[in-house]
Amino acid sequence: MTMQNKRHQEIVTKIKKIMKNVSTDLIELHKIPVLDLPKVGYDNTLWSKEKKMLTIGDKTVKISPDTIKKIPTFSQYLVMANAIRRLIEEDMESTIRGMYYATLSTVGDEKNKEKFWKNQDNSDDAIKAIELLTKIPREEFSVTSKPKGMISGPIKLRVGGDLIDCSLGSRATSQLIPTNILDVEIEDVKADFVMVVEKDTVLNNIRKSGFIQKYNAILMTGSGEPDRATRIMVKMLSEKWKKPVAVFADADPWGLGIALRYKIGSESLSYDSERLVTPDVKILGMMFSDIYDYNIPEVARLSASDEDINRANDMKKKPWLQDKQWQKELNLFLKTKEKCELDAFFKHGFKYLAEVYIPTKLRQVGII
Amino acid sequence: MRTQLTSIPKTNEAVVVEKNSSHTNKNINDKVNKIMKAKIKYNKKAESEFFVDNSALAGFTGERILYMAVRELIENALDSCETHHILPDISISLKIYDQENDLWIISCQDNGIGIPQEKVPEAVCSFLTSGKYIEKQQRGLFGVGLKMIAAFSTKDTDNPIRVWSKSADEANEYFFELRTDIGTNKPIVLSKKNTANSRDSKIKERHGFRIETVLRARLPPVTKNKIYDYISQTSIINPYANLTFESDDGKINFERRTTVMPNPAREVLPHPAEMDLQTLKKAISNFVNQRITLQGVLSNSFQKLSSDKAKEIISLSKIETKSADKYNEHELINVVNVCKNMRFQSPNTDHLSPINQEIMTTGITSEYVIVVNKEISSNNADKTQENRNLIQTKILKPALTSYSQRTCVVNNRPMIIECGIAYGGDISSFKLFRFANKIPLLYDEGSDVAREVVSEVEINKMGITKKEVKEQFFNPQVKTDRTVELLPLHIFFHICSTKIPYKTAGKESIASEGEMKKYMKACLSDLYRKVSAQIRKELKMKDTENRLRLYKHYIPLIVDAISDSINVDKKKLSDSFTSLVEKHVKKEDFSDDNNHIYEVSEIDNKNTYKNSAAKFEIKNDKISTSKKKVRQNKNINKTDVKQQGQTTMDGFNKKGKRQV
């Protein structure tokens, strides 16, 4: 607790310093204040060969109330910073949606009005900006997202004072991964390895089959795009508990993208990769070649959209997908223009995925 | 003419008897028979009496009497000047004469050609006596308006109608005191004298006409406003006229803004497709005693009808050749029938008198409006003459105007449709102006074809979407479903024809006849396209302005966020922030805006090129500047936003014109 208090104090000090700089610029120096923060996005994301992850470049953006386009952004950042300061001083926590509501307002008069936030994306961006300005991840200032990651298997978590045993009834249900991940400690892990799947529907199917008990595994999903807590959980299990991690996603560029979030990170969070990315995870499936190797019938295949094709072409050039195996897979996809979901294995029977496909894949890399 | 009035002399006994006997023969019910015998009398009524009884036919109803009087007098005055290409100088006055009895004295003086002295009494008093019964584009047509004023004055007051006339054909000015004998449609001349060189002389010019009369009427605010509208709109469509209006609220002047006058309308022969038995008989009677063949009559009395064509008509009618006046009606109706089924060339249009681009543009770029000054009314009695005026004129200068014209044929009569639009600048709201033969139409807008046209031409022809307009021009006071009515836009329609398809005799709204509406829509679409680039640019500017206004509202949010977090002098913070922001923001904003203007004007050139037939005009005092120069001006402050816009607009205009 004292550790957290100290951290909290640090954030409040940083926010106050930002405010002080702005007011000094305005009152004493009579110059337009500037908020200088690292640029986040594809054009400022670099591939680090040594770290094997995406990292942020050294481009910055200057947010300054000197144009009518930027003043709303400038005020959004300051209003959000102040709201975060209040949240901490009141010793409360909030979701990102909560922060959006807490700072919601309209600007202007009767005749000329606009919303302070156009939508929640704006306020999420502002929260991100505070992370960048203070260099402190939002979990540390008690702003979290709604939990959506799930975990199941022989692992015990301690959240605050409460113990959560994820193996309890693990054939029937999964635990949500708490998003206030800094309050979460891993108490004990009895599993041999960790398996991450793209979607909760697939997770449920595998869990129900008794996979956890049979192979002594931990099952996890980010329910699509994984949140930070899920990524951090994977990283902890891989690096602190030295458990091998396998990732399964749909055989389409989108699914591959999600699998890569765990392995190399993402452009929008490249500034936080050190905390979120687990370069050691193994992406095992579903490969495009599996569509044919496992005889997925044509009726269960989907044809690729233009967007899929563009994305695959793009991926082919990425430095982290240069090894022969991936190039072969992507070329196959670009040739056949067919994609497939993991759920398609259900066509071969409800247990096929958990009892045939996944064990085969795991065996190939020696995890089981 | 079934009527029960018995005071009229010429009772037509013969008809009564005939009718009665026919009823008796049929042996119908005795009771009915008795009633018919007792009540029915067939009388002839004098035109004057008929019109006084049915004054609504000419628009003279209750509250509109003074409006109609002002209108008729102005129209007559303008016609009298314009026919002879005289730049009109017209003063009209409407003042209370006897408050208790609702009596008003109305006068109108012009510098037209006047009326020869021997014709004055009839011209003023006798209904259906007019020099206007010809096929020609004119404001008035029926010879009713002035007479109506005279008859109402006679009917409601004991004041004579006072008239001064100095005819262009005579050297002298004559003064008359007149009344109308309503029962006989004859003028009563109370006095007549030569006032040339006398103290009573009123007309200083070489010729002219003045009338003064007393009318009994009420002037509710609605009518008063309509009179104001009528005069100011008259000055828009007749910018070559100098109009003065005096009332108890003050005296205002609508100055002449151009000395260019439209070519006077000319009389034209009727088109043969419009021929009926009456016109044919009338044509023949024009040649009576001239030993002329029917072929000659036809080719001389109708347009687009050559001698050969006349020969063809006669042979198709299967009638024998004889002297024109020898044909009977049965033979003549054959000729009419043949003409109805024959194809002729479209009628001439050169006899019409549109006001054309130059005059229209002058009118709409310096649009006069009357401003009623409410504040001075009660407590400031001791102001100077000028300030005592409750009404004043104001000139609206739009940011841009455009003009387009189409000619079409409606009911075998040519029609010229002129349309102008004025946008932005001093214009702050939407308004539709309707004119027919150079007179404003003020009532019944809802049922006018122009209204439909405006509703049906899509606003996206201007290159803007309904959504954009609703966002940028939102005005809580304007409640309308029609997006176009949110724009600061004035649309002017002017229809010229020898016969305007009015919906009512009151000449207030126009019906959609034939392809008229189609052509009107084409005109308006043209204009929308022509101004599209400018409107888009204005929208951008407006967006910038809106955001600039919004900008200030963000400052308190920032100040609050800071002062909430740290100890700071809130007022000092706010003040220094505001002043800094004002200095810096505009500068940035500008470079932004320049780009927009240029992007737009390039697109614009293409547009103009496409519609090269359409003419384009922007009146602007500013000299055009090159892109380079505009760049140098980046540092100019906010008030210059508009000027800069205009400058570039002007620059574009030059380019645009070259391409046209």
Side-chain angles (χ1 to χ4, degrees), chain A residues 85-123:
Chain A
R85 181 196 58 78
R86 274 172 37 205
L87 180 79
I88 294 167
E89 291 194 337
E90 289 176 27
D91 197 22
M92 290 292 286
E93 57 175 67
S94 166
T95 58
I96 49 175
R97 187 153 187 81
M99 294 312 286
Y100 164 69
Y101 274 110
T103 49
L104 207 57
S105 66
T106 52
V107 185
D109 46 34
E110 270 310 303
K111 230 186 137 191
N112 225 318
K113 216 189 243 178
E114 69 182 34
K115 286 180 178 166
F116 185 66
W117 308 113
K118 283 197 178 64
N119 49 47
Q120 200 194 316
D121 288 352
N122 283 172
S123 84

Side-chain angles (χ1 to χ4, degrees), chain B residues 339-547:
Chain B
C339 287
K340 288 278 178 217
N341 294 319
M342 194 168 239
R343 286 186 68 88
F344 297 96
Q345 286 179 313
S346 290
N348 294 326
T349 56
D350 56 352
H351 60 286
L352 289 178
S353 170
I355 62 167
N356 287 328
Q357 181 168 15
E358 189 178 353
I359 298 172
M360 171 83 95
T361 306
T362 307
I364 66 182
T365 43
S366 50
E367 188 185 302
Y368 267 107
V369 286
I370 296 181
V371 183
V372 180
N373 204 338
K374 285 180 184 124
E375 283 155 28
I376 312 171
S377 56
S378 49
N379 32 22
N380 300 335
D382 58 346
K383 293 275 161 156
T384 58
Q385 174 71 33
E386 204 172 303
N387 284 353
R388 230 181 305 152
N389 270 348
L390 285 182
I391 46 173
Q392 274 158 3
T393 52
K394 190 181 149 205
I395 295 179
L396 299 184
K397 290 231 176 270
L400 63 114
T401 66
S402 190
Y403 171 91
S404 133
Q405 192 192 81
R406 288 278 196 290
T407 304
C408 60
V409 176
V410 173
N411 295 339
N412 295 305
R413 285 189 170 84
M415 176 181 282
I416 291 177
I417 294 162
E418 294 182 278
C419 184
I421 58 181
Y423 177 89
D426 296 337
I427 293 173
S428 60
S429 59
F430 178 86
K431 193 167 177 184
L432 170 65
F433 293 79
R434 299 170 292 135
F435 303 97
N437 290 346
K438 296 172 210 154
I439 60 177
L441 308 181
L442 299 184
Y443 286 94
D444 307 333
E445 184 186 298
S447 61
D448 194 284
V449 58
R451 174 78 269 168
E452 291 173 35
V453 168
V454 171
S455 301
E456 287 171 25
V457 176
E458 290 290 338
I459 194 166
N460 58 22
K461 294 229 160 60
M462 277 190 234
I464 50 179
T465 63
K466 285 183 179 177
K467 187 165 163 272
E468 276 177 299
V469 173
K470 277 179 187 152
E471 276 172 13
Q472 298 300 326
F473 294 93
F474 172 72
N475 182 349
Q477 274 140 31
V478 181
K479 290 198 172 53
T480 173
D481 297 337
R482 302 186 190 97
T483 324
V484 67
E485 292 182 10
L486 294 169
L487 292 173
L489 179 72
H490 284 183
I491 297 178
F492 306 83
F493 268 114
H494 179 218
I495 312 287
C496 311
S497 173
T498 53
K499 194 181 175 202
I500 303 278
Y502 288 113
K503 279 195 165 164
T504 56
K507 297 197 285 191
E508 289 296 359
S509 73
I510 298 175
S512 174
E513 297 266 341
E515 292 192 307
M516 182 178 171
K517 189 161 142 190
K518 187 181 113 189
Y519 284 97
M520 287 172 81
K521 281 166 88 167
C523 266
L524 191 59
S525 303
D526 266 5
L527 296 187
Y528 279 2
R529 275 192 294 272
K530 275 189 273 175
V531 298
S532 66
Q534 270 67 27
I535 303 247
R536 272 206 305 277
K537 199 199 53 125
E538 289 252 328
L539 267 176
K540 281 262 160 62
M541 259 161 66
K542 198 148 164 112
D543 186 40
T544 309
E545 259 172 53
N546 283 347
R547 277 168 38 207

Side-chain angles (χ1 to χ4, degrees), chain A residues 16 19-20 22 26 30-31 65-69 71 74-75 78 82 85-86 107-108 112 114 116, chain B residues 546-551 553-554 557-558 561-562 564-566 572-573 576-577 580 585 588-589 592:
Chain A
K16 285 188 174 175
M19 299 293 188
K20 182 74 197 165
V22 170
L26 289 169
H30 297 290
K31 65 170 202 187
D66 60 349
T67 68
I68 49 179
K69 271 180 199 141
I71 192 167
F74 184 81
S75 66
L78 290 198
N82 186 44
R85 181 196 58 78
R86 274 172 37 205
V107 185
N112 225 318
E114 69 182 34
F116 185 66
Chain B
N546 283 347
R547 277 168 38 207
L548 205 61
R549 263 202 302 277
L550 267 179
Y551 195 112
H553 294 282
Y554 279 100
L557 289 173
I558 297 169
I562 295 171
D564 202 19
S565 293
I566 57 169
K572 212 171 159 188
L573 181 63
S576 39
F577 200 173
L580 262 174
V585 172
E588 274 289 324
D589 203 20
D592 239 43

Side-chain angles (χ1 to χ4, degrees), chain B residues 141-385:
Chain B
L141 286 178
F142 307 124
V144 169
L146 181 57
K147 286 81 173 171
M148 203 62 129
I149 297 170
F152 265 64
S153 180
T154 305
K155 173 171 86 80
D156 292 333
T157 78
D158 61 348
N159 297 78
I161 301 123
R162 292 146 60 86
V163 172
W164 293 257
S165 180
K166 195 172 181 180
S167 167
D169 304 331
E170 298 167 344
N172 291 328
E173 174 185 320
Y174 289 90
F175 168 69
F176 295 83
E177 287 188 306
L178 304 167
R179 306 265 297 162
T180 303
D181 184 345
I182 297 172
T184 61
N185 194 26
K186 293 259 159 47
I188 301 166
V189 181
L190 297 176
S191 75
K192 173 183 176 180
K193 63 178 175 182
N194 184 339
T195 47
N197 310 320
S198 94
R199 273 193 312 154
D200 299 332
S201 168
K202 293 276 187 186
I203 298 160
K204 302 285 173 274
E205 291 84 359
R206 228 175 44 73
H207 42 71
F209 186 81
R210 176 184 175 84
I211 181 163
E212 255 179 45
T213 181
V214 177
L215 289 173
R216 188 195 296 270
R218 279 195 311 276
L219 186 64
V222 181
T223 311
K224 197 168 170 179
N225 286 333
K226 286 287 181 194
I227 292 175
Y228 291 166
D229 283 351
Y230 186 83
I231 298 170
S232 48
Q233 291 194 23
T234 299
S235 86
I236 293 171
I237 200 77
N238 303 283
Y240 46 86
N242 186 25
L243 298 174
T244 306
F245 175 67
E246 198 173 353
S247 77
D248 296 308
D249 290 337
K251 186 174 177 181
I252 46 178
N253 183 40
F254 301 86
E255 277 167 36
R256 175 177 298 130
R257 280 149 287 159
T258 174
T259 52
V260 180
M261 284 186 77
N263 290 326
R266 283 179 291 109
E267 186 182 350
V268 70
L269 295 172
H271 192 266
E274 277 293 276
M275 185 195 291
D276 56 24
L277 194 55
Q278 177 59 25
T279 42
L280 184 54
K281 279 166 77 179
K282 205 168 161 192
I284 292 168
S285 70
N286 285 339
F287 292 96
V288 79
N289 300 331
Q290 287 185 28
R291 296 186 152 273
I292 188 169
T293 60
L294 185 58
Q295 189 182 344
V297 172
L298 288 175
S299 58
N300 283 309
S301 306
F302 295 91
Q303 54 166 304
K304 308 292 174 193
L305 213 167
S306 62
S307 195
D308 286 349
K309 195 100 180 169
K311 201 171 170 184
E312 188 189 342
I313 291 168
I314 291 165
S315 80
L316 284 167
S317 313
K318 302 191 175 69
I319 49 174
E320 52 187 289
T321 315
K322 52 187 170 186
S323 177
D325 52 349
K326 296 288 190 289
Y327 292 101
N328 64 25
E329 288 194 343
H330 181 69
E331 289 164 320
L332 291 179
I333 200 78
N334 284 340
V335 177
V336 173
N337 291 343
V338 166
C339 287
K340 288 278 178 217
N341 294 319
M342 194 168 239
R343 286 186 68 88
F344 297 96
Q345 286 179 313
S346 290
N348 294 326
T349 56
D350 56 352
H351 60 286
L352 289 178
S353 170
I355 62 167
N356 287 328
Q357 181 168 15
E358 189 178 353
I359 298 172
M360 171 83 95
T361 306
T362 307
I364 66 182
T365 43
S366 50
E367 188 185 302
Y368 267 107
V369 286
I370 296 181
V371 183
V372 180
N373 204 338
K374 285 180 184 124
E375 283 155 28
I376 312 171
S377 56
S378 49
N379 32 22
N380 300 335
D382 58 346
K383 293 275 161 156
T384 58
Q385 174 71 33

